[in-house]
Amino acid sequence: MALPKRIIKETERLMAEPVPGISAVPHEDNLRYFDVSIHGPSQSPYEGGIFKLELFLPEDYPMTPPKIRFLTKIYHPNIDKLGRICLDVLKSNWSPALQIRTILLSIQALLGAPNPDDPLANDVAQRWKEDQEAAIQTAREWTKTHAMT
Amino acid sequence: MQPHFDALFAESVRSSPSLSPSSSSSSLSTHGATQAATQGGNYDEPPSKIDLRALDYVTDYDSHLMCPICHVPFLHPVVLECDHTFCNSCLKEYREGASSGARSRCPTCRAVLSSGPRKASRLIVNMCNETKVRCPNDDCQEVLPRGCVEHHATKECPHERLRCPDPKCDKLVKRRNHVPAQCIHISHIECDCGAVIELGKGEWLRHKDEDCPNTGVKCEECGQRISASDYPGHICNPDDDHSCPGKQYGCTDDFSPEDSEAHLKSCPLARLAPHLQKQSQLLQSLQEQLIMVKVRNEVLENGFEKIHDVLNDRVLPYVSHSDHSPAEASDIEEIERDHIPSALSQRDLLMPAHLGDLTPSADPDSLSISQTQQHLLALHESLRGNVSNIENNISTLTNTISDLDARTSMQIMNETLRIKEDLAHTSAALFSTRAQVQWLMNRERVGQQQQAMGIRGRAPSAQPPVSNQAPSARSSVSEGGDSSGQGQSLEGQPSASILGSSPSFRPQIRRQSGGSQERVKL
Ligand SMILES: [Zn+2]
Ligand SMILES: [Zn+2]
Ligand SMILES: [Zn+2]
Ligand SMILES: [Zn+2]
Ligand SMILES: [Zn+2]
Ligand SMILES: [Zn+2]
Ligand SMILES: [Zn+2]
């Protein structure tokens, strides 16, 4: 189990100085696999919800981005049914200068600022554009049913 | 999306380094120097025999010296056009893996770059190479600047393991035991403590039993083998010795005691253990605080109960007695006016419903506990004020009572004195009466004797013997032993007791009525 220094240091820092509203805990048996939970940002339809995610650091991390997806169901134009996230920093815009904590921060920011013009879940994005009020209401209901237990 | 990128990158640049023990290897460490001078960056990176990123960085270093890609102080740093710095090898690895579009951008700020990287200033290089690291060789505790560690670890470290000079021997030998062109393994054995012991003389077993700091001595208490260097601080607990510090956090690896050092270097849980430990300590201290808060609550509750008791036992009785003691009526009325309403209100405050509910519950809601605590403290303060008022009043009452007491006892004293005086007068009168009676009786007796002598016809020259004979005559009379003599002697006693002023004599006299009559008279 040879873990690069960088992963150890990132994990240490995540434990020692956690980001407010975000927690990331490595699995005991696989230190590249993290259980993540993100609190829905205030002033957003996800406020009050706690969303569970899984994060995996691939073999060539940090040269390739971490793999991350939502485990909690969420109604969001940039997150699909399987929990996959459409976020440029997780794909083409990844940089090895980014870290687990910055990625989780940007996911939290994405909850606060949905971007229906760069959709992953097409039907959600469509609805978001046509009737934003109703879409936000649905997101709020989903948060209540799935992310508040 | 663009606006929050800046924040993200700012965050990533800010990220600070933290200390950790070294890891045995790093996936980032695969870099050679052969293609160092690429992309116009004319950088000559010498090959490294040891992985400088996996080293144990023992002191903190400036977070600005940390490479944003590998998170250790820059190794052969290069600077991009945008003024961002990276390790040469990190940047190279990034560019080799990246798509053609990303290749020409800075990993930190994504600025499009037209020229290749240049060498960072000597200052940066030196600062990075100054960071202190531990020698990576097993058993070596040397701490030295990173710039020197490679030379030390591969050229002079006594603990570095070298190949045996004999090409037929595949064993390793520590530098300190290395003899040029000679295999020591044929005639000697190298202990892992570094000692070289000649074979065939029983020295090896002796070394293992007595000298070797690694295998050490057997503890007489627990029978465990402890290294001689650890023996002074040894605590007899077989579980503690060779287990991974990450064990309680999930390290399930099994390893023999000899491998524990190697395991500690490779086990990530062992490295995270201090942090986890810190967290659990924090948790524990919070729990302790909670317990203390609970204890304080209990103390306060007890205080309330005591105050309640004081109010019930000491104040209310005073109040109910006020009718019967007219002397203290004014004081009592004051107490009544001052304290009965407050006593009532205190009783109302004493057992508010929420107080009984909150305090015994184990709910660790510290906020509500602290609120309750403050509430209780406030109550406690006000009750204490009232109680001290009451106590003041009680003490004035006590003063009055003691005044009265003093007055009464003065009166009694005066009375007694007068009676004593009267008594003294009476006894003086009695004494004088008795003296007169005696004198008269003596006179009569003398007269009778003279009469008797006159009857016998004796000369009155017997006057001197009279005084001498009178007692003897008396004694002869009493020695007669009849009831009249007894009665006479008893009659003489009061005078004797008055003269000797010792009433305790009386029973003694009575007991010795037979033989000691003379003593009484003397
Ligand atoms: Zn680097
Ligand atoms: Zn840059
Ligand atoms: Zn060394
Ligand atoms: Zn050899
Ligand atoms: Zn030895
Ligand atoms: Zn022992
Ligand atoms: Zn371990």
Side-chain angles (χ1 to χ4, degrees):
Chain A
M1 215 204 298
L3 211 59
K5 186 106 181 166
R6 164 163 169 166
I7 294 180
I8 291 162
K9 293 182 75 170
E10 274 201 66
T11 310
E12 279 177 341
R13 188 160 170 245
L14 279 170
M15 311 278 260
E17 309 160 41
V19 192
I22 294 174
S23 86
V25 182
H27 268 214
E28 283 167 3
D29 49 0
N30 184 354
L31 292 161
R32 289 176 174 271
Y33 189 87
F34 289 73
D35 285 322
V36 177
S37 58
I38 296 181
H39 290 240
S42 55
Q43 319 278 303
S44 79
Y46 311 100
E47 183 171 2
I50 296 171
F51 298 90
K52 300 229 173 295
L53 297 90
E54 59 178 359
L55 183 149
F56 180 72
L57 303 175
E59 187 58 39
D60 46 359
Y61 177 82
M63 292 308 159
T64 57
K67 299 196 184 319
I68 183 157
R69 90 184 172 94
F70 271 84
L71 297 173
T72 307
K73 273 182 76 128
I74 182 167
Y75 193 79
H76 190 288
N78 307 105
I79 299 163
D80 73 1
K81 284 194 190 101
L82 299 172
R84 292 176 298 188
I85 305 159
C86 177
L87 190 60
D88 55 354
V89 282
L90 286 173
K91 299 189 172 74
S92 55
N93 263 332
W94 168 254
S95 151
L98 291 168
Q99 305 176 38
I100 298 170
R101 72 164 48 219
T102 52
I103 286 302
L104 295 180
L105 272 169
S106 68
I107 289 169
Q108 199 181 34
L110 185 68
L111 295 186
N115 180 9
D117 295 322
D118 183 17
L120 190 69
N122 271 317
D123 50 334
V124 178
Q126 196 66 28
R127 180 124 179 277
W128 211 278
K129 276 200 259 189
E130 283 164 2
D131 187 354
Q132 195 174 343
E133 286 289 301
I136 285 174
Q137 192 50 43
T138 309
R140 211 167 265 137
E141 279 158 19
W142 280 42
T143 304
K144 201 167 275 172
T145 39
H146 301 296
M148 294 187 198
T149 43
Chain B
M1 285 293 85
Q2 206 53 48
H4 85 257
F5 272 146
D6 297 339
L8 288 183
F9 282 109
E11 163 79 12
S12 81
V13 170
R14 245 186 294 122
S15 49
S16 70
S18 54
L19 286 177
S20 76
S22 74
S23 110
S24 58
S25 73
S26 158
S27 73
L28 296 176
S29 63
T30 50
H31 39 54
T34 39
Q35 309 118 322
T38 52
Q39 306 235 349
N42 194 14
Y43 204 100
D44 177 33
E45 186 180 342
S48 180
K49 282 185 196 163
I50 60 174
D51 181 0
L52 293 173
R53 286 187 179 80
L55 290 173
D56 183 5
Y57 287 79
V58 294
T59 54
D60 238 327
Y61 45 86
D62 194 309
S63 62
H64 297 102
L65 295 180
M66 189 184 84
C67 168
I69 295 179
C70 64
H71 289 201
V72 300
F74 296 113
L75 276 161
H76 309 290
V78 291
V79 183
L80 300 180
E81 261 177 89
C82 56
D83 225 12
H84 281 122
T85 310
F86 301 91
C87 306
N88 185 41
S89 55
C90 288
L91 187 68
K92 197 145 62 67
E93 195 182 345
Y94 165 67
R95 294 196 158 169
E96 279 161 8
S99 60
S100 56
R103 199 169 302 199
S104 55
R105 287 169 182 267
C106 165
T108 295
C109 69
R110 297 177 201 275
V112 181
L113 306 166
S114 51
S115 63
R118 64 171 200 277
K119 233 171 164 174
S121 84
R122 167 77 35 207
L123 182 68
I124 302 292
V125 176
N126 288 347
M127 284 172 82
C128 292
N129 285 338
E130 265 321 291
T131 52
K132 296 279 187 294
V133 295
R134 200 181 299 282
C135 171
N137 291 330
D138 286 351
D139 306 324
C140 182
Q141 296 299 313
E142 196 93 13
V143 170
L144 58 177
R146 189 181 68 182
C148 308
V149 74
E150 187 175 343
H151 178 81
H152 164 82
T154 59
K155 296 261 159 46
E156 55 190 31
C157 177
H159 295 277
E160 192 198 357
R161 285 163 195 276
L162 305 174
R163 287 197 64 108
C164 182
D166 185 348
K168 277 174 267 170
C169 177
D170 60 353
K171 292 197 169 78
L172 298 175
V173 57
K174 279 195 174 181
R175 180 187 301 281
R176 57 192 253 183
N177 300 323
H178 185 267
V179 184
Q182 187 188 326
C183 173
I184 61 160
H185 300 103
I186 298 160
S187 56
H188 292 75
I189 187 163
E190 190 184 26
C191 179
D192 54 10
C193 73
V196 174
I197 289 121
E198 206 176 336
L199 287 172
K201 286 185 180 174
E203 289 286 299
W204 173 246
L205 286 177
R206 198 189 63 79
H207 169 79
K208 277 291 182 192
D209 278 343
E210 291 164 27
D211 299 341
C212 182
N214 286 357
T215 44
V217 285
K218 210 171 188 177
C219 171
E220 284 172 15
E221 241 88 80
C222 62
Q224 205 188 328
R225 191 164 275 285
I226 319 118
S227 88
S229 54
D230 286 344
Y231 190 68
H234 165 73
I235 299 157
C236 290
N237 187 350
D239 289 338
D240 265 358
D241 257 19
H242 299 295
S243 63
C244 171
K247 196 170 186 175
Q248 52 188 352
Y249 305 111
C251 174
T252 51
D253 294 7
D254 255 337
F255 51 89
S256 56
E258 303 89 64
D259 297 338
S260 72
E261 205 174 327
H263 172 82
L264 288 188
K265 285 202 171 167
S266 66
C267 175
L269 278 165
R271 275 99 150 310
L272 291 177
H275 291 278
L276 296 165
Q277 193 109 35
K278 231 189 280 169
Q279 304 246 317
S280 63
Q281 274 172 357
L282 188 72
L283 204 68
Q284 208 174 346
S285 82
L286 282 174
Q287 270 172 347
E288 277 165 12
Q289 279 174 17
L290 193 70
I291 286 168
M292 266 172 52
V293 167
K294 276 187 189 163
V295 167
R296 274 183 79 179
N297 257 352
E298 262 166 46
V299 168
L300 285 175
E301 252 180 87
N302 284 344
F304 290 147
E305 244 155 64
K306 269 185 199 144
I307 288 164
H308 190 236
D309 288 349
V310 165
L311 287 173
N312 274 345
D313 298 350
R314 292 178 66 180
V315 178
L316 294 179
Y318 273 114
V319 171
S320 55
H321 283 309
S322 64
D323 301 333
H324 310 301
S325 51
E328 291 158 43
S330 61
D331 286 341
I332 295 300
E333 265 167 30
E334 258 174 58
I335 289 179
E336 227 169 334
R337 249 183 286 120
D338 286 347
H339 294 290
I340 295 314
S342 63
L344 286 175
S345 66
Q346 279 155 17
R347 228 179 314 161
D348 290 343
L349 289 171
L350 261 175
M351 276 302 146
H354 68 274
L355 198 148
D357 290 339
L358 267 173
T359 35
S361 83
D363 184 7
D365 189 348
S366 58
L367 186 70
S368 85
I369 282 182
S370 75
Q371 278 174 352
T372 316
Q373 203 189 356
Q374 267 174 359
H375 178 62
L376 291 178
L377 274 169
L379 275 183
H380 189 250
E381 274 316 302
S382 74
L383 287 182
R384 223 200 304 194
N386 282 325
V387 166
S388 67
N389 271 347
I390 290 162
E391 271 172 359
N392 283 344
N393 276 299
I394 288 171
S395 71
T396 54
L397 271 182
T398 318
N399 286 346
T400 320
I401 289 170
S402 61
D403 248 356
L404 273 174
D405 199 30
R407 245 184 291 159
T408 319
S409 63
M410 263 314 257
Q411 274 182 345
I412 291 171
M413 276 252 289
N414 288 342
E415 285 294 307
T416 319
L417 270 180
R418 229 178 330 147
I419 291 167
K420 268 185 186 165
E421 249 169 77
D422 283 358
L423 213 65
H425 275 294
T426 316
S427 55
L430 195 72
F431 177 76
S432 69
T433 315
R434 207 159 267 166
Q436 279 178 336
V437 167
Q438 224 164 17
W439 184 76
L440 283 173
M441 284 204 16
N442 274 347
R443 239 181 85 113
E444 209 174 333
R445 217 177 281 156
V446 169
Q448 279 175 355
Q449 278 175 350
Q450 278 176 345
Q451 261 188 349
M453 285 202 305
I455 287 166
R456 282 182 218 157
R458 279 286 172 203
S461 60
Q463 187 59 32
V466 167
S467 59
N468 282 342
Q469 275 180 344
S472 65
R474 257 198 339 195
S475 80
S476 70
V477 170
S478 64
E479 262 170 12
D482 55 33
S483 58
S484 72
Q486 189 87 352
Q488 208 186 6
S489 80
L490 277 173
E491 227 185 315
Q493 271 166 22
S495 69
S497 75
I498 286 164
L499 288 168
S501 71
S502 164
S504 62
F505 250 66
R506 210 184 285 210
Q508 218 180 351
I509 293 158
R510 214 188 265 265
R511 256 185 271 125
Q512 298 169 340
S513 60
S516 63
Q517 295 283 332
E518 279 130 336
R519 237 175 74 192
V520 174
K521 267 159 243 155
L522 289 169

